[in-house]
Amino acid sequence: MTEKMGTTGLILKEKLLWERGKTGREGFSFPRQDVDQTPMDPEFARDDLDIPDLSEVDVIRHFTRLSTWNFGVDTGMYPLGSCTMKYNPKTNERQASLPGFAGAHPLLPESLSQGALELMYNLERYLAEITGMDAVSLQPAAGAHGELAGMLLIYAYHKSKGNQRHKIIIPDTAHGTNPASAALCGYTPVPVKSNERGVLSTEDIAAVMDDDTAGIMVTNPNTLGLFEENMKEVADIVHAKGGLVYGDGANMNAVMGIIDMKEIGIDVLHLNLHKTFSTPHGGGGPGSGPVCVNKILEPFLPVPRVEKKDGKFRLQYNRPDAIGRLMTFHGHFGIMVRAYSYILSMGPDGLKKASQLAVLNANYIKEKLKDIYHLPFDRPCMHECVFSDKHQSGNKVSTLDIAKRLLDYGFHPPTVYFPLVVSGAIMIEPTETECKDDIDQFIQAMRDIAGEAKENPELLHKSPEKTKVSRLDEAAAARKPCLAG
Ligand SMILES: *Cc1c(COP(=O)(O)O)cnc(C)c1O
């Protein structure tokens, strides 16, 4: 039997601090008192609070042990498709914590914020260069917020033409936030199905594009991990009827330095700095979803914009056509510092190489697993590949069982049941940082699990068995949560 990475040894039971505490234990020592005692204000000196008495080592061990129960991208592979949970070089964290950046106050005058403004100005230029677009606003706080910005820009554009439109075309392979963002702007989303190759057909777009349609929102690469090969033709159809093309660029990790988004017909695109450009995400931390536009949408970008004049950087508010402000101050600055550091440390060749490796790794996994897992679209993929549980479901083994069993093998499960266009989807995104050894181990785990699904489906229904808690009744956990441990 091959040795598994999964947990086998020290899994310590952890009591609550209240159960661990003993009256009289202390976690501090003060020097002998050499001043007179003053009684404390009774409002503060309460003894009716249920706070456990603990020593320092009790507290340190408790929290250190709890921290080891967490699994993150610093612990192991996190093959989370459609979300680019990639490992980010630690140097970018270090730059973001430099006191001049971390302590910069947004109310400081421009004269004292030249470095921060220069960083924002340069980052906008870099992102324009990487995407091929003309101008950028760093304001949106996350991907979906960038989409909202893009929809507002498209709305402002049509309004300026005196011709407001009411519909937006959204393919079934778009991210779920796309129709929500369109609807928030008052547009009616018009769904379009992808074809048997998992991409858009020009005929389907031509059939729905009309004079009341403001544009189309295309996730590219799409949520099946496939590149929209007819993108230019689709954009031409939309443009010919006066519409604009929105590109959801959250999957940029597949195409950095490879695709010129303007060239393929995109008018406005958002990026997820917290996916592609070195900010860890998940857990609800701050994000950043810059919008990148072509020349015709630039006048509408939100205020303020960072300008360079006579060698000085300043904030420009006087922009009559702007859609207004989307954030307090200038957006999430710490995320911008990480992206800036990432882009500079990688350089143009490094960014391109990262995308090439991300795509290579996903295709390697696809080829190594497609004989045992059903691959709905058997063609080269981008940075993620999508399987389904079709070959295992005959044995009553589902995607959920496979995902849970992966935990026993020491891997974080991939994205499951997304995208919705594939029933029982298993979406795997290894990212560029995983080495061949680790990817091979993951592939072996997936192959072993497929074997178990045939020979011992019961085992999979019970898994995970080696984790801190085994299979949960998820409905009960959601409805009757026990938060006390
Ligand atoms: C993650 C993602 C989004 C949404 O980004 P948030 O920062 O989570 O709002 C939009 N589109 C795609 C394709 C994504 O992967």
Side-chain angles (χ1 to χ4, degrees), residues 72-89:
V73 78
D74 285 356
T75 321
M77 190 168 161
Y78 217 113
L80 220 57
S82 205
C83 240
T84 309
M85 292 292 242
K86 69 180 186 179
Y87 177 83
N88 295 302

Side-chain angles (χ1 to χ4, degrees), residues 243-280:
L244 294 180
V245 179
Y246 185 93
D248 180 327
N251 290 335
M252 194 74 192
N253 211 46
V255 292
M256 284 185 292
I258 296 166
I259 300 295
D260 181 322
M261 293 291 179
K262 197 167 69 172
E263 194 114 309
I264 60 169
I266 307 283
D267 298 297
V268 44
L269 171 98
H270 88 262
L271 297 171
N272 280 43
L273 297 190
H274 51 291
K275 288 182 183 169
T276 316
F277 296 95
S278 193
T279 283

Side-chain angles (χ1 to χ4, degrees), residues 192-227:
V192 175
K193 279 197 183 339
S194 44
N195 64 19
E196 67 293 339
R197 286 174 61 73
V199 294
L200 290 174
S201 292
T202 47
E203 301 81 49
D204 294 339
I205 301 303
V208 290
M209 183 64 207
D210 60 20
D211 295 341
D212 195 30
T213 301
I216 185 170
M217 287 182 99
V218 184
T219 301
N220 195 15
N222 68 26
T223 56
L224 286 167
L226 302 175
F227 189 76

